[in-house]
Amino acid sequence: MYDNIILKWEWQDMPEIDFLEVVLPCLLKRTQYVHENGHTAYRGRFGVFQVYVNEKVVKLDEGSLCKYWKGNNCDTLALEEVEEALKSIGEELGLPLEKATVERIDFSTNLEMDYVPSCYFPLLGSYPRRTRLAQENGVYFNTKTKTFSLLFYGKIEEYKAKKYEIPEEYQGKHLLRVELRLRKKAITQLKKDVVYATDLYDPSFFLRLLD
């Protein structure tokens, strides 16, 4: 199911909303930037997400939808939970969800294995038209532009390396993470036009990802 996502709102699609007035009060640890053109922008924390905002754009990135809703991403989200989580984001930020375009999707699951995940990495072989990159805790398959990446890695090992608290129900388990990362160009190939946040909990769009 979905994990990391990037959503983007543009003022031209909702000129009645003052992005700075609406979004800034929602952000913690705000940092202000003044660009060369004199325009002011801000970056801050919204839950587990980083948010960038100026007069024309709001971009929500660098965060896990699953962590936002469930507190960790060892668990996975059901489709109805994706809808609940995204609607919550829209309501908290005061922005219309149906106007948010999707610029990144991480689609993932955890497989409980009998042995540590590293035992399985040599068995993964190669992937046509993808570069195989062996990592300390996994194997990545990337396109040249990195618009499409397929990852296999140890989820518990990642938690330990980042000093995250491992949920009790996963302690002592061997979780092999399988993760598909799609950037904007790859995402739009799943649909004829722009992909919106509301598409993420549309069953027909979800089935396209599974294909």
Side-chain angles (χ1 to χ4, degrees), residues 156-187:
I156 300 302
E157 288 74 9
E158 179 201 40
Y159 262 54
K160 289 178 178 178
K162 294 183 177 179
K163 298 183 179 179
Y164 293 158
E165 182 178 353
I166 300 170
E168 184 177 351
E169 62 268 33
Y170 296 110
Q171 292 180 11
K173 300 289 182 65
H174 303 306
L175 298 183
L176 176 62
R177 180 76 157 195
V178 182
E179 190 168 288
L180 176 64
R181 294 180 180 174
L182 300 175
R183 295 285 182 173
K184 186 176 181 179
K185 185 177 179 181
I187 293 169

Side-chain angles (χ1 to χ4, degrees), residues 61-104:
D61 61 12
E62 296 184 25
S64 162
L65 186 66
C66 193
K67 282 185 180 178
Y68 167 78
W69 197 243
K70 306 193 82 165
N72 72 80
N73 64 348
C74 284
D75 290 326
T76 55
L77 294 169
L79 202 57
E80 58 270 20
E81 291 176 311
V82 171
E83 181 175 3
E84 292 168 358
L86 288 170
K87 286 183 175 179
S88 175
I89 289 172
E91 289 170 4
E92 288 193 60
L93 289 177
L95 298 173
L97 196 63
E98 66 275 10
K99 300 289 188 179
T101 58
V102 180
E103 297 203 333
R104 171 175 168 171

Side-chain angles (χ1 to χ4, degrees), residues 9 11 23 30 44 47 83 85 90 112 140 143 149 165 170 201 206:
W9 289 264
W11 178 81
V23 174
R30 295 197 300 263
E83 181 175 3
E112 187 173 338
Y140 298 1
T143 57
S149 299
E165 182 178 353
Y170 296 110
Y201 51 83
F206 179 73

Side-chain angles (χ1 to χ4, degrees), residues 13-107:
D13 298 324
M14 55 203 91
E16 72 282 1
I17 297 179
D18 185 324
F19 282 168
L20 295 177
E21 181 179 320
V22 170
V23 174
L24 274 184
C26 304
L27 305 185
L28 301 176
K29 299 181 179 179
R30 295 197 300 263
T31 302
Q32 181 178 343
Y33 304 88
V34 179
H35 295 293
E36 292 180 359
N37 58 13
H39 291 176
T40 301
Y42 298 84
R43 183 171 284 277
R45 298 293 303 180
F46 169 71
V48 300
F49 296 100
Q50 284 278 352
V51 172
Y52 172 88
V53 56
N54 62 27
E55 293 178 344
K56 301 294 185 182
V57 170
V58 177
K59 194 167 186 178
L60 178 141
D61 61 12
E62 296 184 25
S64 162
L65 186 66
C66 193
K67 282 185 180 178
Y68 167 78
W69 197 243
K70 306 193 82 165
N72 72 80
N73 64 348
C74 284
D75 290 326
T76 55
L77 294 169
L79 202 57
E80 58 270 20
E81 291 176 311
V82 171
E83 181 175 3
E84 292 168 358
L86 288 170
K87 286 183 175 179
S88 175
I89 289 172
E91 289 170 4
E92 288 193 60
L93 289 177
L95 298 173
L97 196 63
E98 66 275 10
K99 300 289 188 179
T101 58
V102 180
E103 297 203 333
R104 171 175 168 171
I105 305 170
D106 288 5
F107 190 74

